[in-house]
Amino acid sequence: MSKRPRSPSPVKELSDDADHDFWISEKIEDRASIFQAWFSPTMPAKELQKLDQFKDASHRILAWRSPSSQRTLVGNVRTLETGTDDDGERYGGRHVLKVIEEMRVEGAIVVARWYGGVMLGPARFAHIENSARDAIRAWRQKEDSEGQKRRRIEDEDMERASLIVELTDRDQNILVLRKLLEEKTNQIQPHSHAEPKTSSRPSVLAPDYNLMPIDRLRQFDKARDSTVAFLLKKIDEAEKQISLRDAKSPSPILAELPDAVIADQAHLQTSAVLHETQAPDTPGEVEKPVVRAPQKPFEEEESSDDDSSS
């Protein structure tokens, strides 16, 4: 039995053009034989098998798994059809199909083998399966990367919309806090007939947050947090100063009374104090006059008897 002639090594590589709808495995070399797989989730199987990238290969082993166009007796039941093409590598197709079913993917895979002149025995089937797995992993890795990118973009869009709403509301809150701080500051100033001071801060137009990138919005969000914290701190300090001033100042009612009325109130308070000091110790106790009892008649008779006996 004569050996098959050695086929030339592949010289063409797949470009990274985004228009290509297939993914390639790494090359596996064993005793001058080369194995490499191409996987496509959408390209028709026979079209994939005819790619120029491996048209000079000794074998182009094909397997596919795709939705079936045949109708079933049970409605809304999705069925899949499978198929293989050994292309001279006996039992090679079933090993490729085994990988497709194990990894639960739909599409077509071609494992190209360039024969190196030495028979590999059962080892060739391991190389065929590993090449097929590697091509599917390359597709999944890109799918996962694109999925993560889409999710990241969606998350950023949601965060951006939330930041725009929060910043708009926070700008309004800052205006209210600044006005409140001005009122507290005017209360701290000494009482005068002059009009209260107004802020000399120039009015600034609110920025258009819709035109800002998300990084800029995040910076504005941190800056607004610092502004709110600063205003709240200043308002607390102003309220403490107002409380201390009110505690030291006289009652506003007494301050408005005339001096004569205040003097009368002081006189009344002094009289009340003197009256309390002269009052008896026991409330309600009144000093009673001393009343002498009259002498009884028998006291005089006793005195007369004593005189007669003497």
Side-chain angles (χ1 to χ4, degrees):
M1 180 178 179
S2 62
K3 295 183 180 180
R4 288 173 293 180
R6 178 177 178 178
S7 59
S9 299
V11 294
K12 294 183 179 180
E13 296 291 340
L14 180 66
S15 65
D16 293 332
D17 192 345
D19 294 336
H20 292 296
D21 194 18
F22 47 83
W23 286 260
I24 308 174
S25 70
E26 296 292 335
K27 294 179 182 178
I28 297 177
E29 298 185 15
D30 184 5
R31 286 165 282 183
S33 289
I34 299 175
F35 298 83
Q36 195 169 22
W38 278 255
F39 169 71
S40 175
T42 57
M43 188 178 294
K46 292 300 181 179
E47 183 177 342
L48 179 65
Q49 195 179 27
K50 295 178 181 179
L51 287 177
D52 293 337
Q53 279 77 6
F54 44 81
K55 66 180 181 180
D56 56 351
S58 304
H59 307 284
R60 294 172 292 179
I61 308 164
L62 172 65
W64 67 88
R65 182 171 182 257
S66 58
S68 175
S69 59
Q70 295 181 355
R71 295 184 178 181
T72 60
L73 297 177
V74 182
N76 299 327
V77 176
R78 190 169 180 269
T79 60
L80 299 173
E81 63 179 13
T82 59
T84 62
D85 182 3
D86 293 339
D87 192 35
E89 186 68 78
R90 191 175 181 183
Y91 305 125
R94 68 173 64 177
H95 286 276
V96 178
L97 181 59
K98 171 188 173 184
V99 174
I100 294 177
E101 292 177 341
E102 286 179 351
M103 301 188 74
R104 297 182 179 181
V105 295
E106 297 178 13
I109 298 181
V110 172
V111 178
R113 179 189 179 184
W114 287 265
Y115 181 64
V118 179
M119 292 186 178
L120 303 180
R124 68 187 188 278
F125 296 128
H127 298 329
I128 290 172
E129 292 182 7
N130 290 333
S131 297
R133 290 191 185 95
D134 194 15
I136 294 175
R137 291 193 190 102
W139 167 73
R140 280 184 171 171
Q141 184 177 4
K142 185 174 182 180
E143 286 292 303
D144 293 342
S145 177
E146 291 179 353
Q148 292 176 0
K149 184 178 180 180
R150 286 193 299 268
R151 287 191 294 271
R152 183 171 62 253
I153 293 175
E154 292 174 357
D155 293 342
E156 288 184 355
D157 289 341
M158 294 177 61
E159 181 184 2
R160 189 170 182 276
S162 178
L163 285 173
I164 291 174
V165 174
E166 290 179 3
L167 287 171
T168 303
D169 294 341
R170 201 161 297 173
D171 287 344
Q172 297 297 324
N173 294 336
I174 289 174
L175 292 177
V176 174
L177 291 175
R178 282 176 175 165
K179 184 177 180 181
L180 179 60
L181 179 59
E182 290 177 3
E183 294 176 356
K184 298 293 183 182
T185 304
N186 291 331
Q187 293 180 19
I188 297 174
Q189 303 299 329
H191 295 286
S192 63
H193 297 289
E195 295 182 358
K197 296 181 180 180
T198 57
S199 175
S200 59
R201 181 188 299 272
S203 59
V204 180
L205 295 177
D208 190 353
Y209 297 120
N210 294 306
L211 302 178
M212 294 184 182
I214 188 168
D215 292 337
R216 186 64 174 161
L217 291 174
R218 290 168 180 165
Q219 293 176 357
F220 266 89
D221 186 51
K222 293 181 180 179
R224 294 296 184 266
D225 285 342
S226 300
T227 302
V228 170
F230 173 79
L231 292 174
L232 291 175
K233 180 181 178 181
K234 289 298 182 181
I235 291 172
D236 289 340
E237 293 176 356
E239 289 179 346
K240 290 180 181 179
Q241 294 182 18
I242 294 173
S243 299
L244 292 174
R245 185 201 63 188
D246 293 343
K248 294 179 180 180
S249 61
S251 173
I253 298 177
L254 294 177
E256 296 176 357
L257 292 176
D259 295 339
V261 176
I262 297 176
D264 291 341
Q265 290 183 351
H267 176 70
L268 292 175
Q269 292 177 356
T270 304
S271 301
V273 172
L274 293 174
H275 182 269
E276 290 178 358
T277 55
Q278 295 176 357
D281 295 338
T282 304
E285 183 178 354
V286 181
E287 185 178 357
K288 298 180 180 181
V290 179
V291 179
R292 295 181 178 274
Q295 293 182 351
K296 296 181 180 180
F298 65 86
E299 292 180 353
E300 296 179 356
E301 293 177 357
E302 290 178 354
S303 60
S304 60
D305 292 341
D306 292 338
D307 293 339
S308 59
S309 60
S310 59

